[in-house]
Amino acid sequence: MVDPRVSIIDERMRDIRKVIAVSSGKGGVGKSLIASILGLTLAKKGYKVGLFDLDFTSPSTHIILGIEGVQPKEDKGIIPPKVHGLEYMSIVYYSRDQATPLRGADVSNALIELLSITKWGKLDFLVLDMPPGIGDATLDLIRLIKKAEFLIVTTPSQLAFETVKKLASLLNGLRVPIVGVVENMKMNQSETIRQQTQKLGLTYLSGIPYDPNIEKTIGKTNRLLDTRFAKKVEQIVPSL
Amino acid sequence: MVDPRVSIIDERMRDIRKVIAVSSGKGGVGKSLIASILGLTLAKKGYKVGLFDLDFTSPSTHIILGIEGVQPKEDKGIIPPKVHGLEYMSIVYYSRDQATPLRGADVSNALIELLSITKWGKLDFLVLDMPPGIGDATLDLIRLIKKAEFLIVTTPSQLAFETVKKLASLLNGLRVPIVGVVENMKMNQSETIRQQTQKLGLTYLSGIPYDPNIEKTIGKTNRLLDTRFAKKVEQIVPSL
Amino acid sequence: MHEWALAEAVIAAAAEAAEKERLKEITEVWIKVGELQQVELDILEFALSQLKTDKFKNAKFKIATAKAELQCRVCGHKWVFNKETLDKDAAEAIHFVPEVAHTYIKCPKCGSPDFEIIEGRGVWLESIKGAK
Amino acid sequence: MHEWALAEAVIAAAAEAAEKERLKEITEVWIKVGELQQVELDILEFALSQLKTDKFKNAKFKIATAKAELQCRVCGHKWVFNKETLDKDAAEAIHFVPEVAHTYIKCPKCGSPDFEIIEGRGVWLESIKGAK
Ligand SMILES: Nc1ncnc2c1ncn2[C@@H]1O[C@H](COP(=O)(O)OP(=O)(O)O)[C@@H](O)[C@H]1O
Ligand SMILES: Nc1ncnc2c1ncn2[C@@H]1O[C@H](COP(=O)(O)OP(=O)(O)O)[C@@H](O)[C@H]1O
Ligand SMILES: [Mg+2]
Ligand SMILES: [Mg+2]
Ligand SMILES: [Mg+2]
Ligand SMILES: [Mg+2]
Ligand code: NI
Ligand code: NI
Ligand SMILES: [Zn+2]
Ligand SMILES: [Zn+2]
């Protein structure tokens, strides 16, 4: 017995120029905020952009982007609605944002299902908001989307950077491209993470300061784009 | 064919008075820091305490506690070494702190293996540092350790509290006891999370301020216990 | 209508299988459809007929359905998925992403959402027949 | 020597199974041990003999071993675990927690750590025989 879904995924990704997986071994480092703002920024620059929230048990990009009351259309597959200039896909369309306890095998199945039925069409960028940890979603992404590139997020904390090292070593071992490392929630001008990143042979893309006011802009895309956070995310674009 | 391991887990937990799972749908909210300091605090008060790091793909309590160069002993099972007064167990003894990509089914298997071979002996408290998300580790814990109680960690952010609501609704539906909610990384005196917690019918245990100096104490248990963070964690103890 | 996307996957997988077995022509394609996903079989069949490439021109598509059997990981209870017990929105959500069953369905015996879909999820390519 | 803990689990599981089947006495216990975990069979057997409760007093323990077969999820390659290719520390770590195989072993064909242990992990209770 063969699972036919994996045979169509290449076809579904065919017209997507770049797939950027925003990831980190660690949770709470700002992956979802960076993925959301990176998506908005690219769209504002005129690119065709998709954003796909792959944190199925704790999705948050719909909250960051204030997305409510939209659903995909069905047309020989499912067509993500365009919201704030992004073709936006999330499991919340189907879980209605209720608790969705999923084991790894379920995460894998849901990911494969959505990859095989979603019709993104032509995109310049598909941004993926990854869950924390190195588990089913990350492994399936590596396995199924050969053109995926990883953008790794860390904070200045040792605790975060340790998991980043592990993720980078996994990706390097498999020759999966790493766009570079973003250091988020910087509290001071320390160069430590920049240096450690370069020592790993990785590109240091941007250092985003801790901004106590970011919380107030959540759910409001115009205000999100007006923050210093967004300016710092914009610095990443030329490296993509 | 029967997996014999699950039949011995009750026996392994028999002499443990309380099992406290420090959890949160969200990553990066301070679960590992709180679990570590809670463990140290209870031990300092004279309780017999175990600490078990269940974040297998991104373990961090060994870094927080500065644990290196110890290994469990083998004696009709494995006996966790006592470090800083804690019987301490982590997958890093076996992964040597290298990248350990695990799918959910592997997480489940490793958890069941360690639960069935680890001999904690008599403990007042076994503190579990949970991974983020609502996945295999959380579901197996609910399934296999009937006496587990959940201590839920959030930050003041909507993004974190949304996932806390989902976790609480899952646990309530299954009548799994929730010790209460800890609000970590408070930047101001806002009462919002306290009110929202109480609206959910849950106990608000403690509000821990954001402390930019905590990073410097990581790896140094004496200094960790000297922080305001630790004072705030101590407030939780009477509710356990 | 996302049955069309699933049909495309079946055709692609059958073509791959034919390639591996070095078949010049495919005469039969056996498909299994699990009831959990509530795939509309007539749409699936129509889509398959429209998506036929040259290799499939004489192919018959044989579709079997499988009941959706769920088993609770906590209490071991087994039961069969019954669409009628769900509201329309939940059933539709499961149609697209069967895993959200863990949001809407609980073990009828113990109330746990921690169950396994042991049979009857998704669309499977069972086997193909053809000529070399 | 953590084989003792595994033996305790086997005895507990066999006793539970006997309870379910309402057996008064257990005469045979069939056990399967996967090679990935490198369980020391003589220690396991000794532990089982020492842990026998009354119900097991005439029980024979029959232990079969299973080769550890791994299959890569990326390229599909299958291979058999060979302890000799690992350094001693890695082999010992896998002895305790077989899942750390994903830290030390890579697919020999494509280098991926994303493989499945399709056979030969852990200790299993295959079946029991007894008298009512
Ligand atoms: N630069 C920053 N300054 C202040 N708060 C931030 C910053 N980046 C992220 N946050 C906050 O940190 C929390 C975690 O961010 P999130 O994007 O959800 O991380 P992840 O997706 O990695 O779990 C959120 O509450 C978010 O608002
Ligand atoms: N109250 C606090 N003040 C400052 N930093 C904190 C505080 N609590 C946690 N941190 C930091 O936040 C990061 C995440 O903490 P951690 O305990 O690893 O969270 P989790 O286990 O939930 O992922 C770490 O870098 C930690 O040092
Ligand atoms: Mg996130
Ligand atoms: Mg942690
Ligand atoms: Mg579907
Ligand atoms: Mg073992
Ligand atoms: Ni449909
Ligand atoms: Ni041993
Ligand atoms: Zn049940
Ligand atoms: Zn391989």
Side-chain angles (χ1 to χ4, degrees):
Chain A
M1 228 158 46
V2 169
D3 182 350
R5 297 174 300 171
V6 295
S7 300
I8 202 72
I9 292 177
D10 277 350
E11 166 68 20
R12 299 283 181 253
M13 294 288 125
R14 206 190 49 198
D15 294 332
I16 301 175
R17 200 160 57 81
K18 269 180 176 284
V19 177
I20 310 287
V22 180
S23 58
S24 173
K26 186 88 186 142
V29 295
K31 291 181 293 299
S32 297
L33 208 52
I34 291 170
S36 302
I37 294 183
L38 181 59
L40 290 173
T41 302
L42 290 167
K44 214 175 120 187
K45 288 187 184 295
Y47 293 112
K48 292 205 70 182
V49 183
L51 176 63
F52 189 178
D53 192 325
L54 295 185
D55 194 353
F56 293 155
T57 74
S58 312
S60 44
T61 54
H62 65 294
I63 304 174
I64 294 171
L65 297 171
I67 294 176
E68 250 182 308
V70 291
Q71 283 293 122
K73 265 191 302 200
E74 257 190 287
D75 182 13
K76 301 188 173 178
I78 59 180
I79 318 282
K82 195 157 183 171
V83 200
H84 309 307
L86 301 171
E87 328 255 323
Y88 180 73
M89 194 68 207
S90 168
I91 201 170
V92 297
Y93 294 139
Y94 307 106
S95 65
R96 310 277 160 176
D97 214 7
Q98 291 176 251
T100 308
L102 298 178
R103 286 180 178 266
D106 300 318
V107 167
S108 178
N109 247 321
L111 173 57
I112 294 171
E113 193 76 26
L114 284 169
L115 286 175
S116 64
I117 65 176
T118 304
K119 298 211 160 166
W120 295 99
K122 234 184 152 73
L123 290 181
D124 294 306
F125 295 98
L126 176 60
V127 178
L128 306 175
D129 182 26
M130 301 299 292
I134 307 181
D136 289 79
T138 303
L139 294 170
D140 278 326
L141 183 66
I142 294 172
R143 178 168 80 96
L144 299 171
I145 308 191
K146 293 298 174 201
K147 65 175 139 192
E149 301 172 37
F150 281 71
L151 189 160
I152 303 182
V153 183
T154 186
T155 68
S157 170
Q158 261 184 80
L159 295 178
F161 200 74
E162 281 304 314
T163 75
V164 162
K165 277 199 241 171
K166 288 178 188 168
L167 178 59
S169 111
L170 172 74
L171 297 174
N172 281 332
L174 297 171
R175 285 166 223 231
V176 175
I178 299 175
V179 183
V181 173
V182 175
E183 181 185 8
N184 188 22
M185 307 201 209
K186 273 181 82 78
M187 299 294 283
N188 56 43
Q189 302 297 316
S190 161
E191 294 280 304
T192 315
I193 297 292
R194 180 193 289 273
Q195 286 156 4
Q196 290 190 37
T197 297
Q198 285 162 350
K199 222 186 261 167
L200 292 178
L202 299 175
T203 309
Y204 183 90
L205 293 169
S206 184
I208 306 178
Y210 184 90
D211 174 356
N213 293 315
I214 203 82
E215 183 70 17
K216 289 179 208 142
T217 67
I218 282 173
K220 301 162 195 107
T221 46
N222 285 333
R223 292 187 54 195
L224 274 171
L225 282 178
D226 265 349
T227 56
R228 241 182 100 200
F229 190 108
K231 300 281 161 301
K232 288 288 182 175
V233 169
E234 207 177 342
Q235 286 183 4
I236 305 168
V237 175
S239 305
L240 297 183
Chain B
M1 229 161 40
V2 170
D3 182 350
R5 300 173 298 171
V6 295
S7 301
I8 202 72
I9 292 177
D10 276 350
E11 166 69 19
R12 299 282 182 256
M13 295 287 125
R14 206 191 48 200
D15 295 332
I16 301 176
R17 200 160 56 79
K18 267 179 176 286
V19 178
I20 309 287
V22 180
S23 58
S24 171
K26 186 85 188 146
V29 295
K31 290 182 294 298
S32 297
L33 208 53
I34 291 171
S36 303
I37 294 182
L38 181 60
L40 291 173
T41 302
L42 290 167
K44 215 176 120 188
K45 288 187 185 297
Y47 293 112
K48 292 206 68 181
V49 183
L51 177 63
F52 189 179
D53 192 324
L54 295 185
D55 193 354
F56 294 154
T57 74
S58 312
S60 44
T61 55
H62 64 293
I63 304 174
I64 294 171
L65 298 170
I67 294 175
E68 250 180 309
V70 292
Q71 282 293 123
K73 264 192 301 199
E74 256 191 287
D75 182 13
K76 300 190 173 177
I78 59 180
I79 318 282
K82 194 157 181 170
V83 200
H84 310 306
L86 300 172
E87 329 254 324
Y88 181 74
M89 193 68 206
S90 167
I91 200 168
V92 298
Y93 295 139
Y94 307 106
S95 65
R96 311 276 161 179
D97 213 7
Q98 292 176 250
T100 308
L102 298 178
R103 286 181 177 265
D106 301 318
V107 168
S108 178
N109 247 321
L111 173 57
I112 294 172
E113 192 76 27
L114 285 169
L115 286 175
S116 64
I117 65 177
T118 304
K119 298 212 160 167
W120 296 100
K122 235 183 151 73
L123 290 181
D124 294 305
F125 295 97
L126 176 59
V127 178
L128 306 175
D129 181 27
M130 302 298 293
I134 307 180
D136 290 79
T138 304
L139 293 170
D140 278 325
L141 182 67
I142 294 172
R143 180 168 81 94
L144 298 171
I145 309 190
K146 293 297 176 201
K147 65 175 139 191
E149 301 172 38
F150 281 72
L151 189 160
I152 303 182
V153 183
T154 187
T155 67
S157 170
Q158 261 183 80
L159 294 178
F161 200 74
E162 281 304 315
T163 75
V164 162
K165 277 198 243 173
K166 288 178 186 168
L167 178 59
S169 111
L170 173 74
L171 297 173
N172 281 330
L174 297 170
R175 285 163 222 231
V176 175
I178 299 175
V179 182
V181 173
V182 175
E183 180 185 9
N184 187 23
M185 306 201 208
K186 274 182 80 78
M187 299 294 283
N188 55 43
Q189 302 298 316
S190 163
E191 295 279 304
T192 315
I193 296 292
R194 181 192 290 273
Q195 287 156 4
Q196 291 190 36
T197 297
Q198 286 162 350
K199 223 186 262 167
L200 292 178
L202 300 174
T203 309
Y204 182 90
L205 294 169
S206 184
I208 306 177
Y210 184 90
D211 174 356
N213 293 316
I214 203 83
E215 182 71 18
K216 288 179 210 141
T217 67
I218 282 174
K220 300 161 195 107
T221 47
N222 285 334
R223 293 187 54 195
L224 273 171
L225 281 177
D226 266 349
T227 55
R228 243 183 99 200
F229 190 107
K231 299 281 161 301
K232 288 289 180 176
V233 168
E234 208 177 342
Q235 286 184 5
I236 305 169
V237 175
S239 305
L240 296 183
Chain C
M1 279 285 290
H2 87 295
E3 278 74 358
W4 203 278
L6 299 172
E8 282 182 285
V10 170
I11 294 285
E16 266 177 31
E19 190 98 5
K20 248 190 227 153
E21 298 179 30
R22 294 167 194 265
L23 301 179
K24 284 226 180 77
E25 211 204 333
I26 299 158
T27 53
E28 279 181 21
V29 181
W30 290 82
I31 298 165
K32 196 167 78 181
V33 175
E35 289 189 351
L36 181 59
Q37 205 157 359
Q38 314 148 65
V39 168
E40 295 198 39
L41 296 181
D42 42 354
I43 304 183
L44 182 67
E45 275 181 299
F46 177 71
L48 288 167
S49 72
Q50 296 294 303
L51 288 164
K52 277 180 169 187
T53 55
D54 247 23
K55 264 198 173 172
F56 291 84
K57 67 176 182 292
N58 298 310
K60 295 247 170 311
F61 294 95
K62 313 271 192 177
I63 305 181
T65 58
K67 291 233 168 299
E69 213 186 341
L70 311 180
Q71 179 166 26
C72 179
R73 280 207 178 79
V74 177
C75 76
H77 181 66
K78 276 188 195 177
W79 73 101
V80 169
F81 167 70
N82 177 356
K83 186 182 155 168
E84 313 307 323
T85 61
L86 285 180
D87 73 47
K88 208 179 129 273
D89 280 359
E92 188 176 281
I94 292 170
H95 168 62
F96 289 107
V97 183
E99 283 59 44
V100 298
H102 297 279
T103 303
Y104 303 108
I105 299 176
K106 309 268 177 282
C107 168
K109 214 172 143 195
C110 79
S112 172
D114 184 16
F115 52 79
E116 200 176 346
I117 303 164
I118 51 181
E119 170 78 77
R121 188 216 178 281
V123 174
W124 295 86
L125 178 63
E126 285 252 51
S127 62
I128 59 168
K129 266 194 193 164
K132 296 214 176 184
Chain D
M1 278 288 286
H2 86 295
E3 278 75 359
W4 202 278
L6 299 172
E8 282 182 286
V10 169
I11 294 285
E16 265 177 33
E19 189 98 5
K20 248 189 227 152
E21 298 178 31
R22 294 165 193 267
L23 301 178
K24 285 225 180 77
E25 210 205 333
I26 298 158
T27 54
E28 279 182 19
V29 180
W30 290 83
I31 297 166
K32 197 168 78 180
V33 175
E35 289 190 351
L36 180 59
Q37 205 157 359
Q38 315 149 64
V39 167
E40 295 197 39
L41 295 181
D42 43 355
I43 305 182
L44 183 67
E45 275 181 298
F46 177 71
L48 288 166
S49 73
Q50 296 295 301
L51 289 163
K52 277 180 170 187
T53 55
D54 247 23
K55 265 199 171 171
F56 290 85
K57 65 176 183 292
N58 298 310
K60 295 246 170 313
F61 294 94
K62 314 271 192 176
I63 304 181
T65 57
K67 290 234 168 299
E69 213 187 340
L70 312 179
Q71 180 167 26
C72 179
R73 280 206 177 79
V74 177
C75 77
H77 181 66
K78 276 188 195 178
W79 74 102
V80 169
F81 168 71
N82 177 356
K83 188 182 154 167
E84 314 307 325
T85 60
L86 284 181
D87 73 48
K88 206 178 129 278
D89 280 358
E92 189 176 283
I94 292 170
H95 169 62
F96 290 107
V97 183
E99 282 59 45
V100 298
H102 296 280
T103 302
Y104 303 108
I105 299 175
K106 308 268 176 281
C107 168
K109 213 172 142 195
C110 80
S112 172
D114 183 16
F115 52 79
E116 200 175 347
I117 303 164
I118 51 181
E119 169 80 77
R121 187 215 179 283
V123 174
W124 294 86
L125 178 64
E126 284 250 51
S127 61
I128 58 169
K129 264 193 195 166
K132 297 214 174 186

